[in-house]
Amino acid sequence: SQQGEEDPQALSIQEGENATMNCSYKTSINNLQWYRQNSGRGLVHLILIRSNEREKHSGRLRVTLDTSKKSSSLLITASRAADTASYFCARIHTGANNLFFGTGTRLTVIP
Amino acid sequence: DVKVTQSSRYLVKRTGEKVFLECVQDMDHENMFWYRQDPGLGLRLIYFSYDVKMKEKGDIPEGYSVSREKKERFSLILESASTNQTSMYLCASSLGNGIQPQHFGDGTRLSIL
């Protein structure tokens, strides 16, 4: 399988805490993207990090990429109840044109 | 904002029926994709298209076909629906060469009885 692993599968935190989700993959990548999915809705693109980048920020989101370890992490700072959703990493493998999605982390932020 | 519209949010069909799922995007994107999403399996690519009348198989094309007669419309066809095709189906579109972010519709939850 070309899918990677996301860790943890589920995460429950209190509002105001930080949430960290991890994504590992098996083959070399062109870029890695993070998406969010609210219950019963489609996915929404959050952030894209290229293989030659190590860190990227967007508002309360921070993404890191370690190509030597074939892993990425998504940090959401100062979480809010509205951040409750599933978060997916998706990779463009080198030489491919398609996204390969992980199975997601289900984040619950308790008010 | 890009809008990807899937024709139905919920659909119930019977085994053996021919089922059409429609997807329309309004931003002149070259690329369109069909995924299915199942618990514990994430999103799996069924078919994709990089241009009008062009299609490529994804990871799980068996039992499905697609049609892209116009740039803005990408249809997924279940030739003879089976119960194992009960799932959430998601359509997406993107610019350019596939490296760009994908924009998703809200999905069609399809039940095959």
Side-chain angles (χ1 to χ4, degrees):
Chain A
S1 167
Q2 297 193 53
Q3 291 184 327
E5 297 289 333
E6 275 146 311
D7 172 55
Q9 287 187 325
L11 179 61
S12 184
I13 60 173
Q14 296 288 330
E15 199 166 32
E17 293 180 339
N18 296 342
T20 300
M21 288 158 270
N22 302 297
C23 169
S24 63
Y25 55 91
K26 297 177 181 178
T27 61
S28 63
I29 62 169
N30 183 303
N31 70 50
L32 186 143
Q33 304 177 25
W34 284 90
Y35 288 78
R36 164 197 171 121
Q37 184 180 34
N38 284 49
S39 181
R41 305 300 296 272
L43 279 71
V44 175
H45 178 261
L46 296 176
I47 199 164
L48 182 154
I49 187 165
R50 299 184 189 280
S51 58
N52 60 355
E53 296 175 313
R54 291 296 168 258
E55 188 170 311
K56 210 159 182 183
H57 297 254
S58 177
R60 293 184 295 111
L61 305 180
R62 174 181 168 240
V63 168
T64 61
L65 179 64
D66 187 336
T67 52
S68 66
K69 294 181 179 177
K70 292 186 169 56
S71 67
S72 174
S73 66
L74 170 66
L75 168 67
I76 303 174
T77 60
S79 64
R80 305 166 182 169
D83 293 329
T84 294
S86 291
Y87 292 83
F88 294 86
C89 73
R91 303 158 299 281
I92 299 276
H93 295 153
T94 303
N97 289 315
N98 306 328
L99 281 174
F100 294 91
F101 284 85
T103 53
T105 293
R106 189 171 66 253
L107 173 66
T108 303
V109 181
I110 302 165
Chain B
D1 274 354
V2 176
K3 189 158 180 65
V4 178
T5 303
Q6 294 184 230
S7 54
S8 305
R9 289 296 306 276
Y10 301 94
L11 204 54
V12 180
K13 296 291 182 181
R14 296 209 170 273
T15 302
E17 282 192 69
K18 190 168 186 175
V19 181
F20 293 85
L21 302 183
E22 305 288 345
C23 175
V24 177
Q25 50 96 3
D26 66 357
M27 283 301 292
D28 204 34
H29 283 173
E30 291 86 358
N31 310 314
M32 296 190 76
F33 308 84
W34 274 107
Y35 296 89
R36 64 177 283 176
Q37 183 177 24
D38 300 287
L41 296 177
L43 274 75
R44 294 179 291 167
L45 182 64
I46 304 171
Y47 267 98
F48 58 99
S49 170
Y50 289 149
D51 201 352
V52 176
K53 296 192 187 295
M54 180 271 181
K55 61 184 179 185
E56 292 279 351
K57 293 180 179 178
D59 297 323
I60 52 164
E62 296 79 18
Y64 303 94
S65 63
V66 290
S67 172
R68 192 160 180 206
E69 296 296 318
K70 294 184 178 180
K71 191 174 186 179
E72 67 270 20
R73 186 180 297 271
F74 192 35
S75 303
L76 179 69
I77 304 155
L78 284 66
E79 297 290 344
S80 178
S82 63
T83 55
N84 63 12
Q85 292 178 309
T86 291
S87 186
M88 169 72 97
Y89 289 87
L90 292 162
C91 174
S93 72
S94 72
L95 277 171
N97 59 5
I99 297 176
Q100 299 301 317
Q102 293 185 12
H103 301 264
F104 283 80
D106 277 340
T108 295
R109 189 165 292 282
L110 175 64
S111 296
I112 307 297
L113 305 180

